[in-house]
Amino acid sequence: MRMEKRFPGRFASLGLISEFVNNAAEEAGLDESQAYSVELAVDEACSNIIEHAYGAEDVGDIFCICIIDEDRLTVVLKDKGKPFDPDSVPDVDTKQNLEERSPGGAGVFLMRKVMDSVKFEFKSEGNVLTMVKMK
């Protein structure tokens, strides 16, 4: 099963995106904890798209595709913003105190921590983020 929807690239869309993804997680048969992990990762990714790829609200859209298979939920987020290289983000030092950490960079770490697979690509049509949560 495949569900897809386009959302305006603004922070007010985050609740609607979460609802869309949560419905897909429910349809996929994910438990509450798994669904929350997917929501958290998607919310972080979409916030980053608005803030970093587009640089502001209402610059472009976020395309969200949810693919439900027997053993997984795949969420694909597409945008037409600036290319993003996840290797340019320094690793998060989880042993360092919060007050001593430099701001930013924790989003990619968080997405990788809560999802089973996270893949970033830049194609001619824009950024493509594919995240998988296994059942």
Side-chain angles (χ1 to χ4, degrees), residues 5 17 39 47 55 75 86 89 110 130:
K5 196 164 183 180
I17 296 168
E39 259 188 274
S47 295
V75 179
V89 178
L110 175 72
T130 304

Side-chain angles (χ1 to χ4, degrees), residues 21-39:
V21 170
N22 198 43
N23 288 340
E26 191 174 297
E27 187 74 33
L30 298 183
D31 66 30
E32 195 174 307
S33 174
Q34 292 168 318
Y36 179 75
S37 292
V38 173
E39 259 188 274

Side-chain angles (χ1 to χ4, degrees), residues 46-108:
C46 290
S47 295
N48 285 345
I49 290 168
I50 297 164
E51 187 174 341
H52 301 293
Y54 288 134
E57 292 186 280
D58 292 319
V59 174
D61 293 325
I62 299 170
F63 298 88
C64 183
I65 303 160
C66 295
I67 303 162
I68 300 167
D69 292 310
E70 277 186 37
D71 62 344
R72 73 190 71 202
L73 171 63
T74 302
V75 179
V76 180
L77 298 172
K78 296 180 179 184
D79 67 78
K80 296 183 183 202
K82 291 185 296 191
F84 173 68
D85 177 11
D87 295 332
S88 68
V89 178
D91 290 336
V92 174
D93 183 357
T94 57
K95 294 179 180 159
Q96 192 177 36
N97 289 331
L98 282 175
E99 300 82 30
E100 296 171 1
R101 290 186 198 163
S102 57
V108 173

